[in-house]
Amino acid sequence: MLLGTQRINAQGHLAIGGCDTVELARQYGTPLYVMDEADIRQKCRALRAAYEKRYPNSLMLFATKSFMNLAICRIMDEEGMGLDLSSGGEAYTALKAGFPMERTYLHGNNKSMWELTLAVESGVGRIVLDNEREMDLLQAVAAERGLVQDVLLRVTPGIKPQTHSFIQTGQIDTKFGLGISTGYAIKGLATAKGLPNLNIVGLHCHIGSNIMGLDSFEMAARMMIRFAAQVRDELDITISELDLGGGVGVRYMEDDQPPSPEDYAEAVITGLHDEIEKYRLPHPRLLQEPGRAIVGEAGTTLYTIGTIKDVPGIRRYVSVDGGMSDNPRPTLYDAKYSALAANRASAPLTQKVTVAGKHCECDNLIFDVQLPEVEPGDILAVQTTGAYNYTMASNYNRFTRPAVVLVHEGTAEVIVERETLDDLLSHDRLPERLQPSVTA
Ligand SMILES: Cc1ncc(COP(=O)(O)O)c(C=O)c1O
């Protein structure tokens, strides 16, 4: 499976964005996250075009939790995207990247006072409220500054999409948002309506992540419009924005079949139009906030193969120089990945192996992947690691987090430096009484 600009070059090496990955590994070291800029831009353009063609009053947001740093903010700005920010740290990064804050939406299920303050003071476009406590906090922040803040309310439509249970978020039993069927959502809106420094402009939902079927997205769109009608009837509030979240799946494995941007837009907008007509509502501005669908397939992690160990009759472990610290998803949700030997990309696939990480955990990255004959020193490329790998990376076992390079038309540029061993110590403090004795 070759994704985005991935090709096999004349040397039989995997190339991405016109850069030889074996050369990238040599130059920047491994593990290394490689991001394919052309693929990221193409995904933004395809999603925007599919939506804007069918529904001109729409805005595509990029969910920065999937991949966040200064460079991606600049790319998203250039592509005319908005940002779905899920924390004060993400908001701060967007601000420092010079991103137009009016195109940002701040999410989160437990926003702190400092996060709300930062968001309001930096001119964030909308705050997506999750609960009534946040309403009180935001009312205080906005009132103190003499502002009226535009807000959406996150609601849970009661939909359980087909995906891993840890990334289902639209069902009633969730920490996110207020339930429609429990009556909490309408009650929350009534509360917000009574707060003078909050201006309710819309509703938000996000039903889950890495969803391959379109039914749940269409159903969510329909349910949200029905709820918008209830809100109009019971509270006399016009829903002028509807944010239907993210969640579209991507290709991790050869036989994964994520929906195309066209099919995705068609399903959502058909559902939306039907219900809008039925309930005689004005057409709200429509937002979607994909993360994985924009950056997932654009990312590849390069590792150097080290120990190769056989458990006779059971499996062969091929260990790499990273693991759960740079990709916790297999350990967290049993996520599946594809890989190829970057320096033997055209060699015949002769063996089935398990790719193991090097942490003090059973951090197997991939079970049963077909590889050619490999040896220590070879470069392994794990595909579709652009979303929720770099942003979920940790320093577990005091591993330094890898660098991120952006590749484009034969050029590679570092957009996040590799951490150093001294970076690991930079936040440690040693109290005087624990200093090593200077006397021998
Ligand atoms: C509120 C919200 N919006 C958008 C997203 C992005 O989801 P995905 O990367 O699957 O598109 C998430 C992911 O968890 C989310 O929680």
Side-chain angles (χ1 to χ4, degrees):
M1 165 175 93
L2 292 177
L3 301 165
T5 67
Q6 294 175 356
R7 304 284 178 271
I8 297 173
N9 66 18
Q11 288 74 44
H13 295 176
L14 173 68
I16 310 175
C19 298
D20 185 317
T21 56
V22 180
E23 182 52 29
L24 292 176
R26 194 195 58 74
Q27 194 176 344
Y28 299 102
T30 55
L32 181 70
Y33 298 118
V34 180
M35 296 298 292
D36 180 348
E37 182 175 340
D39 191 50
I40 296 172
R41 290 186 185 274
Q42 187 274 329
K43 296 283 183 352
C44 293
R45 289 172 197 180
L47 276 161
R48 279 195 59 191
Y51 270 79
E52 287 168 18
K53 182 167 74 185
R54 295 171 174 81
Y55 202 102
N57 187 18
S58 63
L59 176 65
M60 198 56 65
L61 309 178
F62 168 60
T64 54
K65 69 205 79 187
S66 61
F67 184 69
M68 182 51 153
N69 46 64
L70 296 172
I72 194 75
C73 292
R74 296 305 324 137
I75 293 174
M76 290 303 140
D77 188 12
E78 287 180 10
E79 292 301 328
M81 305 280 288
L83 298 181
D84 147 12
L85 308 166
S86 57
S87 71
E90 291 183 5
Y92 185 71
T93 307
L95 190 63
K96 290 291 170 185
F99 194 88
M101 294 305 280
E102 66 277 8
R103 292 210 310 267
T104 64
Y105 284 60
L106 180 71
H107 292 263
N109 69 300
N110 184 23
K111 300 176 193 68
S112 311
M113 199 66 172
W114 75 266
E115 293 178 302
L116 292 168
T117 305
L118 173 74
V120 169
E121 289 189 343
S122 58
V124 79
R126 310 277 189 262
I127 294 181
V128 183
L129 294 168
D130 177 274
N131 54 69
E132 295 206 19
R133 174 174 183 268
E134 282 181 1
M135 294 175 193
D136 294 335
L137 296 182
L138 183 59
Q139 165 60 28
V141 172
E144 204 178 311
R145 285 156 188 81
L147 302 166
V148 175
Q149 177 64 50
D150 289 336
V151 297
L152 280 75
L153 180 69
R154 178 167 183 166
V155 304
T156 42
I159 291 172
K160 214 171 171 183
Q162 280 284 316
T163 190
H164 192 283
S165 62
F166 286 10
I167 46 179
Q168 288 171 336
T169 53
Q171 71 279 17
I172 287 301
D173 183 2
T174 171
K175 70 170 187 172
F176 294 107
L178 298 176
I180 294 179
S181 66
T182 58
Y184 279 49
I186 197 91
K187 185 173 154 293
L189 285 165
T191 303
K193 191 182 174 190
L195 297 172
N197 296 78
L198 304 189
N199 177 37
I200 306 165
V201 296
L203 299 172
H204 167 272
C205 73
H206 170 77
I207 56 174
S209 225
N210 201 30
I211 300 166
M212 298 291 178
L214 289 170
D215 303 5
S216 319
F217 292 121
E218 185 189 331
M219 201 190 300
R222 289 181 185 275
M223 291 183 70
M224 293 297 280
I225 292 294
R226 281 178 222 152
F227 183 58
Q230 184 190 346
V231 171
R232 173 199 57 194
D233 297 345
E234 292 182 24
L235 299 176
D236 194 25
I237 295 173
T238 303
I239 296 304
S240 56
E241 280 196 11
L242 187 60
D243 181 345
L244 295 175
V248 186
V250 296
R251 281 184 90 191
Y252 285 100
M253 307 298 288
E254 182 103 51
D255 50 8
D256 283 339
Q257 291 185 327
S260 69
E262 294 290 325
D263 290 347
Y264 174 43
E266 186 64 29
V268 168
I269 294 167
T270 302
L272 208 66
H273 278 316
D274 280 359
E275 301 296 316
I276 284 174
E277 216 167 285
K278 197 183 308 169
Y279 290 96
R280 297 181 190 287
L281 281 166
H283 279 79
R285 176 154 89 144
L286 173 62
L287 298 105
Q288 295 276 185
E289 44 189 36
R292 189 186 316 265
I294 289 175
V295 290
E297 293 177 5
T300 303
T301 308
L302 303 178
Y303 299 97
T304 302
I305 291 175
T307 302
I308 299 175
K309 189 183 286 178
D310 284 326
V311 181
I314 301 180
R315 68 179 66 250
R316 171 170 289 179
Y317 285 99
V318 171
S319 293
V320 294
D321 56 352
M324 66 183 288
S325 60
D326 61 77
N327 184 2
R329 297 187 66 257
T331 325
L332 263 180
Y333 353 102
D334 201 20
K336 306 280 184 283
Y337 284 93
S338 306
L340 55 131
N343 57 322
R344 302 172 192 267
S346 42
L349 306 179
T350 51
Q351 56 173 345
K352 199 195 273 183
V353 308
T354 291
V355 177
K358 58 178 277 174
H359 290 274
C360 289
E361 296 276 331
C362 296
D363 64 333
N364 296 315
L365 288 174
I366 315 180
F367 282 102
D368 297 340
V369 61
Q370 292 285 346
L371 289 184
E373 293 308 304
V374 288
E375 56 188 48
D378 282 350
I379 303 300
L380 189 79
V382 176
Q383 296 169 290
T384 321
T385 58
Y388 306 104
N389 274 227
Y390 162 68
T391 51
M392 284 187 167
S394 76
N395 293 122
Y396 179 53
N397 288 155
R398 286 250 150 171
F399 276 44
T400 53
R401 277 175 288 198
V404 185
V405 295
L406 188 66
V407 291
H408 190 50
E409 295 178 350
T411 303
E413 291 160 295
V414 174
I415 57 169
V416 181
E417 291 284 354
R418 181 179 302 284
E419 285 178 336
T420 64
L421 291 174
D422 283 330
D423 287 334
L424 294 177
L425 300 183
S426 65
H427 288 263
D428 283 15
R429 298 293 175 265
L430 199 54
E432 196 60 40
R433 64 190 178 80
L434 296 179
Q435 298 283 342
S437 167
V438 283
T439 52

